[in-house]
Amino acid sequence: MEKYLNAGLSPQERAEDLLSKLSLEEKMGQVNCLFPRKDNWEELVRSAEYGIGQVSTLNIRKLKSLEEAAKWQRKIQKMVMESSPHHIPAVFHMEGLCGPFIQDSVSLPSGIGRGSAWDPELEEKLGQIVSRQELSCGITQVLAPVLDITRDSRMGRQSETYGEDPTLAAAMGSAYVKGVQEGETAGRKAESVAKHFLGFHNSQGGIHGANCDIPERLLNEVYGKPFQAAITEAELRGIMPCYSSINGEPLSSSHKMLTGLLRDEMGFDGVCAADYGAVGNVFHVQKVGESVTEAGLMCMEAGMDVEMQNCMGFNEELKTWFQTGKADVEILNRAVRRVLEAKFRMGIFEHPFALEEEKLRNTFYDDEDRNVLLKAALESLILLKNNGVLPFKREIRKIAVVGCHARNARCFFGGYTHISMMEAVHAVANSIAGMKSGDVEGKEMLTVPGTQIQSDETEEFDAVLKQQKPGCNNLLEELRRSLPNTEICYSYGYPIAGDDLSHIDEALETVKSADLVIMTLGGKNGSCSVASMGEGVDGTNINLPCCQETFIKRASELGKPMIGVHFDGRPISSDVADRYLDAILEAWNPAEMGAEAVVKVLLGDYNPGGKLPLTVARGVGQIPIYYNHPNGSAYHQGESIGFKNYVDMPHTPRYYFGFGLSYTTFEYSGLKIDNKAVNPNEQISIEMTLKNTGSRAGDEIVQLYFRDCYASTTRPVKELAGFKRVTLEPGEEKRVRFLMKASQTAFLDRNMKWKVEKGEFEIQIGSSSEEIYLCDTVSITKEAWVNGRDRGFCAESIVM
């Protein structure tokens, strides 16, 4: 037996042996990727005559059954292995942010919705489900989670993130990575590819892929923290760099970032995979390198291991450079070694093919998945306002439901869901990086009135939902199902964007005779020209559109109780909604269980407990606004310099980070800190009592913050240190303990070294970053310098 075929040896030993046997042509195959389309895949696979490293599975999205998807993988894998002189299987990769792109697969709430749940245990379960389903179809690389930090609601991809806070993103992202990577299905193990390394959402103007100028402290302390946590705590195996240039270098070709920071400092030892088209962008878009081949060499030398989705820079000319010695072949060997190690770790040499028939179905489907998805949808919902109108009684006589979202279940599915990516096939104009328009390129576009957004209110888009989620109710259908004795009248009212008021009068007539009004609000978080936000779909207006605010004002004159349910990828922000609506429920994009989850909250069958994972700006002029701003800045700037507010708007946000209401009340008491003076290598034990003082069961998210009272550099006004979602029955109380490592306070000192500084720290516990109920102080008794990869990231939390 060849050494590399011995499964008893380590992936490193097997990879080293196989690498020594490969020709230059075979090595170049391993750093490249195939992108099969419906019309070209057989010819394309045949062209990979020396094997291939990766296969994109994006167009599995078009296949109509699970069995077709698995068969597609088996056929391509067989052809790849037959063409490879050493029968090396390909890694098949697929997105995983909101679930697989496979018929009958799960669809998850958007990242920002799951960030609103503040529930790492649940996030790990979601990662396990996605991993199991993709592995059963032979897909071993999951392109998720998104570990970006967002501070700008203009950017269309805000919904993909866990929010603005690096501690929350570190905990949630690490949990998802563990869920993806910890199990085994059909002899295979999946590897998570976190994205988009690094600082992607700090782009100028909130524009997708634009240049980023990010100081080193901000880059490492904030944008780097979730990635470091995933590497340290979850053994993250994959990284996808962002499209942007950071401080003058495209990330994809930056040796400083991909080797110096990512590998040498952070300790990452997995595969670095290019985002689609990113290597070509270095030359064609960012104008770096004298040729696309030189740009390709720069990327590989920087630490990029695989070019996706098509060959641009890792090309035949680059192969010649390695052959002639113009480029050092050890650069190529290093990349191939990493690719091969991953393949051996994944188990695809022994188990290269998707499951078949009964084994496939028994593995892919699990009845428990539905319960997990419902919990994810429920926990993502945030009650932002309630003057007592919610929950409403089932005995209500007549309800008016207004808004285009109410009759369209596709509003539950945000960007990077299977439904959204299939809608992109019918988009006239493309905005997804590295991709072309769908099957309707050149077709005249029907737009939402007064906008350049393509209307999705056509037959082909409805067919997407019928194919993928035929049993998914829209909100209107779920309300009628849940309230059979209530008259529920619907009126379109207004679209997702623009200033079309032509349907308002008709909707107002519907409202006049109703006892309660439910308005669905927001835009379309999705893909390409059919969306008002999404990848490459950015905006300068972060508030509700004119048509929706106009209706709210007009409807308020009728004196009816009014509830707003908001669906979108950025949070609701509206002076009009705040003023006139009696209740506001932030629903984000809750996916396939969305209708049931929303109705359960409206009726009080479930008590909402979600909290905002980001600070909500009043308007675009406040951006960036975030709770953990430096001392003397943002809404604390007026304490010493200038006025407390803008001349036309407060400095304070519309809603604070961590905010969310409940149908019950909670009491915080009994703060106890066991060790109020600790060394840098010790941990602080913090306990408190949480009591449900209301009449309903409910969840509260206890939030632990710390403030460095005085430091040697400018520090944030406060930082999240830990959190715990706690469920309590009426009158029930529980003790919550946090174990916070002193090294969580570490920061980059004046010499850019990670320092745990001695001094006094204020410990704060509350229900949001602004609603603090318990405070005390602790001291770190001496200073120490630590390895950044070994510091604390999020306090351990225990319900006692």
Side-chain angles (χ1 to χ4, degrees):
M1 180 193 292
E2 295 278 8
K3 189 176 178 181
Y4 73 87
L5 293 175
N6 184 353
L9 298 177
S10 71
Q12 292 79 9
E13 290 174 297
R14 298 176 74 184
E16 203 60 53
D17 180 63
L18 181 53
L19 179 63
S20 70
K21 294 174 167 57
L22 299 184
S23 66
L24 182 61
E25 289 77 12
E26 288 176 278
K27 291 177 183 177
M28 288 299 295
Q30 291 305 303
V31 297
N32 267 286
C33 174
L34 294 181
F35 180 46
R37 299 190 300 275
K38 185 177 180 180
D39 57 350
N40 80 332
W41 71 267
E42 291 193 51
E43 179 184 346
L44 184 68
V45 176
R46 289 193 191 98
S47 72
E49 54 184 326
Y50 294 101
I52 200 73
Q54 292 256 358
V55 174
S56 168
T57 63
L58 177 61
N59 281 316
I60 282 181
R61 61 183 167 165
K62 299 179 183 179
L63 301 181
K64 299 297 176 66
S65 73
L66 169 63
E67 288 74 15
E68 282 183 85
K71 183 179 179 181
W72 184 91
Q73 190 275 345
R74 290 194 299 272
K75 286 185 80 170
I76 291 180
Q77 185 72 290
K78 183 180 178 184
M79 292 177 71
V80 166
M81 293 175 69
E82 287 175 349
S83 71
S84 166
H86 287 87
H87 307 294
I88 303 173
V91 169
F92 286 71
H93 67 254
M94 179 174 276
E95 298 292 345
L97 169 65
C98 293
F101 298 164
I102 303 168
Q103 179 65 34
D104 297 341
S105 64
V106 297
S107 282
L108 314 185
S110 58
I112 201 76
R114 281 147 43 212
S116 303
W118 298 58
D119 192 341
E121 291 83 5
L122 176 60
E123 190 68 0
E124 186 172 343
K125 289 180 183 178
L126 294 171
Q128 290 169 349
I129 293 171
V130 173
S131 179
R132 187 194 78 236
Q133 292 195 332
E134 294 197 8
L135 282 169
S136 68
C137 291
I139 298 158
T140 54
Q141 202 174 56
V142 180
L143 306 186
V146 172
L147 298 182
D148 297 323
I149 298 299
T150 177
R151 292 175 167 180
D152 193 337
S153 290
R154 294 174 298 178
M155 202 206 199
R157 302 185 79 166
Q158 186 167 60
S159 71
E160 298 177 23
T161 75
Y162 292 116
E164 74 179 34
D165 184 74
T167 300
L168 178 60
M172 297 293 286
S174 294
Y176 195 79
V177 171
K178 288 176 185 175
V180 167
Q181 296 187 168
E182 65 193 353
E184 184 177 291
T185 298
R188 291 182 287 271
K189 292 183 73 69
E191 296 195 352
S192 178
V193 179
K195 49 189 188 174
H196 305 86
F197 189 83
L198 183 67
F200 188 42
H201 282 243
N202 198 37
S203 60
Q204 292 175 356
I207 298 170
H208 181 261
N211 186 64
C212 303
D213 290 318
I214 308 177
E216 193 171 353
R217 281 194 183 88
L218 177 62
L219 192 71
N220 284 269
E221 293 180 358
V222 174
Y223 292 105
K225 183 174 179 177
F227 290 94
Q228 182 66 81
I231 293 166
T232 300
E233 298 187 338
E235 297 184 6
L236 175 69
R237 291 300 192 179
I239 283 285
M240 180 176 283
C242 69
Y243 290 109
S244 303
S245 288
I246 306 286
N247 302 331
E249 286 188 290
L251 228 301
S252 296
S253 63
S254 173
H255 186 276
K256 177 181 178 181
M257 300 297 290
L258 298 187
T259 295
L261 176 59
L262 178 60
R263 295 188 184 274
D264 295 344
E265 292 186 35
M266 290 186 162
F268 176 72
D269 64 355
V271 171
C272 184
D275 208 338
Y276 279 20
V279 172
N281 277 9
V282 171
F283 175 72
H284 292 295
V285 177
Q286 288 148 322
K287 311 298 182 184
V288 172
E290 294 300 318
S291 68
V292 70
T293 306
E294 185 175 321
L297 178 60
M298 291 174 69
C299 291
M300 193 183 294
E301 189 172 20
M304 189 76 77
D305 300 315
V306 181
E307 179 175 11
M308 301 195 309
Q309 81 284 23
N310 296 315
C311 176
M312 294 290 288
F314 292 9
N315 56 29
E316 283 294 310
E317 185 179 24
L318 184 57
K319 183 187 78 173
T320 302
W321 287 8
F322 289 129
Q323 194 170 40
T324 62
K326 183 175 180 179
D328 185 356
V329 74
E330 283 306 309
I331 296 171
L332 175 61
N333 287 341
R334 182 184 63 187
V336 175
R337 185 180 294 111
R338 292 169 181 161
V339 169
L340 294 177
E341 285 180 7
K343 291 184 175 186
F344 287 121
R345 286 194 304 265
M346 292 169 176
I348 59 175
F349 273 78
E350 291 72 39
H351 305 280
F353 301 113
L355 294 173
E356 299 181 68
E357 299 174 345
E358 189 175 352
K359 283 186 178 179
L360 173 63
R361 293 188 292 273
N362 289 344
T363 304
F364 190 87
Y365 300 110
D366 189 325
D367 291 341
E368 179 59 23
D369 292 349
R370 181 179 176 86
N371 295 329
V372 178
L373 294 175
L374 178 58
K375 184 176 183 182
L378 287 166
E379 289 194 359
S380 73
L381 303 178
I382 307 173
L383 187 62
L384 294 176
K385 181 181 180 182
N386 187 24
N387 66 6
V389 68
L390 287 178
F392 64 81
K393 292 181 172 56
R394 292 177 180 272
E395 295 74 29
I396 196 162
R397 184 182 61 85
K398 186 173 183 180
I399 298 174
V401 179
V402 180
C404 60
H405 304 81
R407 68 176 187 188
N408 181 1
R410 284 181 290 107
C411 75
F412 301 146
F413 301 86
Y416 277 86
T417 55
H418 188 192
I419 279 182
S420 171
M421 294 304 286
M422 193 57 200
E423 286 181 334
V425 172
H426 302 294
V428 172
N430 172 64
S431 67
I432 301 174
M435 302 294 295
K436 294 181 180 179
S437 296
D439 296 338
V440 292
E441 190 171 8
K443 178 182 176 182
E444 183 179 356
M445 185 166 71
L446 176 67
T447 60
V448 176
T451 78
Q452 58 182 349
I453 301 165
Q454 181 180 351
S455 173
D456 70 344
E457 296 178 0
T458 54
E459 207 170 279
E460 62 265 35
F461 291 103
D462 289 337
V464 172
L465 182 72
K466 290 175 184 176
Q467 169 63 40
Q468 290 189 21
K469 303 291 179 184
C472 182
N473 279 350
N474 61 39
L475 183 60
L476 185 62
E477 290 167 336
E478 187 65 23
L479 281 166
R480 286 173 172 161
R481 187 192 70 81
S482 301
L483 297 166
N485 299 320
T486 299
E487 182 182 358
I488 299 175
C489 303
Y490 172 75
S491 189
Y492 179 84
Y494 38 75
I496 60 168
D499 56 3
D500 179 15
L501 307 180
S502 60
H503 301 276
I504 281 186
D505 288 340
E506 179 184 348
L508 290 172
E509 287 299 315
T510 303
V511 169
K512 282 180 182 178
S513 60
D515 301 303
L516 178 73
V517 185
I518 299 174
M519 302 177 190
T520 59
L521 305 167
K524 166 73 172 176
N525 175 30
S527 300
C528 305
S529 51
V530 77
S532 61
M533 73 175 294
E535 180 175 349
V537 186
D538 311 311
T540 61
N541 182 8
I542 65 168
N543 302 114
L544 288 182
C546 170
C547 58
Q548 296 180 17
E549 291 198 333
T550 299
F551 181 80
I552 292 171
K553 286 182 189 175
R554 294 274 303 277
S556 71
E557 297 169 4
L558 301 176
K560 307 290 184 177
M562 300 194 302
I563 299 164
V565 183
H566 185 252
F567 299 99
D568 213 336
R570 58 173 63 95
I572 186 171
S573 182
S574 168
D575 291 342
V576 171
D578 282 351
R579 180 177 178 183
Y580 295 111
L581 294 181
D582 297 289
I584 300 173
L585 184 68
E586 180 59 77
W588 308 109
N589 301 107
E592 58 195 271
M593 305 304 294
E596 184 175 345
V598 168
V599 172
K600 280 181 177 293
V601 167
L602 296 179
L603 292 174
D605 295 339
Y606 181 82
N607 188 350
K611 302 279 189 176
L612 284 168
L614 75 177
T615 304
V616 180
R618 295 175 186 271
V620 74
Q622 283 188 317
I623 291 173
I625 185 168
Y626 47 95
Y627 87 93
N628 53 343
H629 50 264
N631 283 307
S633 299
Y635 45 93
H636 290 88
Q637 179 267 352
E639 293 175 356
S640 62
I641 306 167
F643 292 120
K644 291 177 66 175
N645 295 307
Y646 295 107
V647 295
D648 54 357
M649 185 182 289
H651 283 166
T652 53
R654 186 178 300 282
Y655 304 116
Y656 289 95
F657 174 82
F659 173 75
L661 300 174
S662 173
Y663 294 153
T664 190
T665 55
F666 297 95
E667 178 183 87
Y668 288 66
S669 65
L671 178 61
K672 178 187 176 186
I673 301 177
D674 284 348
N675 38 352
K676 297 189 67 174
V678 296
N679 290 326
N681 61 349
E682 294 180 329
Q683 63 183 10
I684 307 161
S685 177
I686 304 161
E687 293 183 19
M688 53 79 63
T689 297
L690 181 71
K691 182 176 183 179
N692 183 344
T693 54
S695 59
R696 289 177 176 268
D699 290 2
E700 174 68 330
I701 298 168
V702 181
Q703 300 164 43
L704 172 69
Y705 297 88
F706 74 89
R707 179 175 70 88
D708 193 339
C709 297
Y710 293 93
S712 56
T713 65
T714 307
R715 301 303 303 145
V717 294
K718 66 179 64 178
E719 298 178 66
L720 183 69
F723 55 90
K724 187 65 176 177
R725 187 166 186 136
V726 183
T727 302
L728 294 174
E729 294 296 321
E732 185 181 13
E733 65 178 47
K734 290 180 181 177
R735 195 83 175 149
V736 180
R737 175 189 291 168
F738 293 101
L739 298 174
M740 174 185 165
K741 293 180 179 178
S743 62
Q744 279 186 242
T745 67
F747 60 89
L748 290 171
D749 68 6
R750 286 177 287 182
N751 297 313
M752 303 308 293
K753 303 295 183 185
W754 287 102
K755 182 182 183 182
V756 180
E757 196 165 74
K758 76 175 193 176
E760 188 175 75
F761 295 82
E762 185 175 80
I763 300 297
Q764 305 176 355
I765 296 180
S767 60
S768 78
S769 60
E770 198 68 12
E771 297 164 295
I772 301 298
Y773 303 118
L774 304 173
C775 282
D776 204 344
T777 58
V778 300
S779 295
I780 296 177
T781 58
K782 60 182 179 181
E783 60 191 19
W785 284 262
V786 297
N787 189 323
R789 69 176 76 166
D790 298 326
R791 72 193 194 274
F793 300 103
C794 184
E796 180 185 353
S797 56
I798 306 160
V799 177
M800 301 161 65

